[in-house]
Amino acid sequence: MADTTKEPENTYNSTPIDAGTHPEDQSTLVLETIPDGKTQYLSYHLGTKAFQRGEAAGVEFDESEWPLLIAEYDLSKRVLTTYPTWLRSNQNNFTKAKYRTIKRISFENQDPMEVQEGFGLFFDLPTGFRRTPFEGFGVDPRIRYIIDAFDDVSGIVGLTICDDSDISIDGEEVRLPESIYHEVRLNINRAHEAAVAFANGEKQSYLKNRLLPSVVPGFVGEEYERPAVDLQDTVRTALVKKGTPRSRNSNTSAAVRTVMRSVAELAQDNPVELFQLSERIEVVSLEMLIESMTKEMAKRHKEGFWQAYFLENPFVLKILFGLPVVMYTSQASVGGMGMERTGEKYADYLLEAGMFGNLAIVEIKTTETPLLTKQAYRLPSLYGPSVDLAGGVNQLLDQRLKLIKSIAQKKEDDGNYHVQAWSTPCILIIGVNPTEPDLQRSFEIYRGSQRDVLVITFDELLIKLKALHEFLITKPDGAQSP
């Protein structure tokens, strides 16, 4: 690879379109359409800095491989095919395939690739799949086990996410229905959270047993070192989705699949009916969410439950923002690790708020967390913030500071260069509203003084959901409800 600055070849004999430049290593994306207009190709072109960084990391470049084809689109079939590739130029796996035998992942019923001025390329892929080309496509690391399940299966080199009702094989491709993909994705995420919660409980019990007897007379510790079967049961229970699964051969499922396959035609021929159907689905889904959250709030759940609940129902968090919001990750490392690799800070959720990748931090407590002190700070009617409330606010401010300081390195480490920490909103979800006027006044005085942290209670979240539901079902005079 002698000259990395030469003009890229016109690989497909078409007019190339600049589809974006990597902000860190100046690699570029080029979008081309072959002359017959039936196929689009997205290729990755190596920048000089990326070449230098790759060489320093021990990458051996093969000139015959360039440019790298990372995606293609069949306009007649409306199928997008991605070729998952490691594209972090400072890593020794740079330009290598992400998986062993699964070399391509395809998505049916996708729109053509289109470069939007100021935004580049973005792909509306199912949750869990990398959506930006410079990430090299593929799946998020936490759910790569879905790919691993098919890796090394003899004769299989591709995976297609489709709208079928059952998993099947088509030549070298495994056809995986999107509904089944989401089912297993949520289940393995739930199993991961359950295993982490189990391990954290064991660690806490061990530390109390080991440290407190010396300082607390008569201390009786909790049981730890539970048998392995306890962990097995915990994970297995999490993997089994609650409720009775509906038959995939039912008339209801068939009707849903029919509508999904006919969305484009319905939008053209019956746009009003399609809008009404979509509106009705939104209302029913919201009603189910309100019912679920109301029921769960009546129970004394711990933080771990609510963290998992909002992860499975991210819409609850999205209503806190007046901008488009995407769940970025949960239990996110925001920085703070010292020279001895201790002190790392973790946020319950990081969200991308808005269109420019700006991150927001959300911290979750419980419905039982007290908001105010039990005794008045100034008699007879002024109460101070509880330790949990004041501590939660400071916790968020500390996490934001650590994130701002470490964002550059974390973008480099994760390869997610589009995220930013320019103005990081902080949200604390904690407790329920007090009922006594003096307590209400004290709470409002305290949280109203918080310029950088939005404090919101669980019941206020529920009220927001109910208000949105009321808005959706309330029609102007003469209009029919969905």
Side-chain angles (χ1 to χ4, degrees):
M1 188 119 188
D3 181 11
T4 60
T5 61
K6 63 182 181 181
E7 290 293 321
E9 297 178 4
N10 194 350
T11 314
Y12 308 108
N13 298 318
S14 65
T15 302
I17 299 174
D18 179 4
T21 300
H22 198 291
E24 297 290 333
D25 59 28
Q26 283 74 61
S27 296
T28 58
L29 298 173
V30 175
L31 179 63
E32 301 170 86
T33 304
I34 60 175
D36 63 8
K38 293 182 179 179
T39 309
Q40 293 178 306
Y41 295 95
L42 180 65
S43 55
Y44 174 90
H45 293 248
L46 191 64
T48 302
K49 186 176 179 181
F51 173 72
Q52 294 170 345
R53 295 172 69 177
E55 266 200 331
V59 178
E60 296 182 2
F61 293 99
D62 184 348
E63 207 170 322
S64 64
E65 296 177 349
W66 295 94
L68 287 177
L69 177 65
I70 60 173
E72 61 182 277
Y73 180 79
D74 187 319
L75 283 91
S76 60
K77 297 180 180 178
R78 300 190 73 243
V79 174
L80 172 72
T81 299
T82 63
Y83 300 92
T85 307
W86 294 111
L87 294 181
R88 299 179 191 173
S89 56
N90 62 336
Q91 303 291 327
N92 60 12
N93 59 6
F94 179 43
T95 74
K96 291 182 172 61
K98 286 190 174 183
Y99 311 115
R100 292 188 299 276
T101 58
I102 298 296
K103 301 301 182 184
R104 58 180 182 261
I105 301 177
S106 301
F107 305 87
E108 295 185 340
N109 297 322
Q110 290 288 313
D111 292 327
M113 290 186 278
E114 182 179 358
V115 179
Q116 298 182 6
E117 186 176 354
F119 297 96
L121 278 171
F122 180 81
F123 296 84
D124 187 20
L125 303 181
T127 300
F129 284 96
R130 298 293 194 184
R131 296 171 176 172
T132 55
F134 282 120
E135 293 178 319
F137 297 110
V139 296
D140 293 341
R142 276 184 57 173
I143 60 171
R144 70 158 291 153
Y145 304 104
I146 297 175
I147 306 299
D148 290 344
F150 299 111
D151 239 348
D152 292 331
V153 175
S154 178
I156 299 300
V157 297
L159 177 66
T160 297
I161 305 299
C162 59
D163 293 330
D164 298 351
S165 57
D166 297 298
I167 303 174
S168 62
I169 295 179
D170 182 9
E172 297 180 334
E173 302 276 330
V174 170
R175 292 181 60 81
L176 177 63
E178 185 174 346
S179 59
I180 296 179
Y181 160 74
H182 284 304
E183 175 189 326
V184 298
R185 175 183 64 83
L186 291 172
N187 286 345
I188 63 175
N189 278 339
R190 188 182 297 111
H192 174 82
E193 298 291 344
V196 170
F198 183 97
N200 287 340
E202 290 291 275
K203 288 185 287 187
Q204 291 174 354
S205 296
Y206 162 74
L207 290 171
K208 288 181 179 179
N209 286 345
R210 179 66 181 86
L211 303 177
L212 292 189
S214 299
V215 295
V216 180
F219 174 79
V220 178
E222 300 174 2
E223 180 186 358
Y224 77 97
E225 292 185 352
R226 287 172 285 176
V229 67
D230 285 359
L231 177 57
Q232 291 174 359
D233 288 344
T234 298
V235 173
R236 288 171 181 170
T237 300
L239 283 172
V240 178
K241 195 171 184 178
K242 296 179 180 179
T244 303
R246 291 172 293 178
S247 169
R248 298 190 179 278
N249 297 318
S250 66
N251 292 334
T252 301
S253 296
V256 171
R257 292 196 299 274
T258 299
V259 172
M260 290 176 65
R261 291 177 180 139
S262 307
V263 167
E265 292 81 0
L266 286 169
Q268 183 175 356
D269 299 336
N270 300 288
V272 175
E273 289 83 352
L274 181 61
F275 174 78
Q276 290 176 343
L277 174 61
S278 174
E279 191 177 34
R280 181 57 183 160
I281 291 172
E282 290 177 357
V283 169
V284 172
S285 300
L286 189 55
E287 288 171 351
M288 294 175 64
L289 182 57
I290 290 171
E291 181 182 355
S292 167
M293 190 169 174
T294 301
K295 181 169 60 177
E296 299 301 343
M297 281 180 58
K299 304 174 183 177
R300 301 174 65 88
H301 288 303
K302 296 182 179 180
E303 286 184 29
F305 171 85
W306 288 111
Q307 290 167 1
Y309 184 84
F310 290 138
L311 193 62
E312 293 184 13
N313 300 280
F315 180 76
V316 182
L317 299 181
K318 292 181 180 182
I319 64 171
L320 294 172
F321 297 84
L323 298 168
V325 172
V326 175
M327 177 69 74
Y328 183 68
T329 187
S330 64
Q331 292 300 303
S333 165
V334 295
M337 182 175 288
M339 295 296 289
E340 297 182 358
R341 305 192 66 78
T342 59
E344 184 73 352
K345 307 295 183 182
Y346 292 90
D348 285 341
Y349 301 105
L350 280 182
L351 286 77
E352 292 181 42
M355 301 174 66
F356 305 114
N358 195 47
L359 294 175
I361 303 176
V362 179
E363 192 67 27
I364 309 290
K365 300 304 179 184
T366 76
T367 55
E368 304 298 317
T369 304
L371 299 176
L372 301 164
T373 57
K374 293 183 178 180
Q375 302 297 325
Y377 178 72
R378 283 286 186 269
L379 294 174
S381 60
L382 183 62
Y383 293 80
S386 69
V387 172
D388 296 284
L389 176 56
V393 169
N394 277 352
Q395 179 184 7
L396 273 167
L397 294 175
D398 182 55
Q399 289 173 352
R400 184 180 68 170
L401 178 62
K402 297 296 191 300
L403 177 64
I404 293 171
K405 288 182 176 180
S406 64
I407 186 67
Q409 184 61 50
K410 291 192 175 297
K411 288 165 63 175
E412 178 78 15
D413 293 342
D414 295 341
N416 295 330
Y417 297 99
H418 70 288
V419 297
Q420 307 293 343
W422 291 323
S423 176
T424 305
C426 296
I427 298 177
L428 176 63
I429 303 175
I430 182 172
V432 295
N433 282 331
T435 56
E436 298 178 14
D438 288 343
L439 296 177
Q440 292 173 343
R441 182 170 64 90
S442 298
F443 176 54
E444 284 298 327
I445 289 173
Y446 177 76
R447 73 167 171 180
S449 69
Q450 300 305 310
R451 182 182 61 183
D452 297 322
V453 176
L454 171 64
V455 179
I456 187 167
T457 62
F458 280 83
D459 46 348
E460 286 172 333
L461 266 183
L462 186 59
I463 289 171
K464 284 180 176 287
L465 290 175
K466 291 180 178 179
L468 178 58
H469 177 262
E470 182 69 21
F471 171 78
L472 291 176
I473 64 174
T474 301
K475 297 293 181 181
D477 292 341
Q480 295 181 350
S481 297

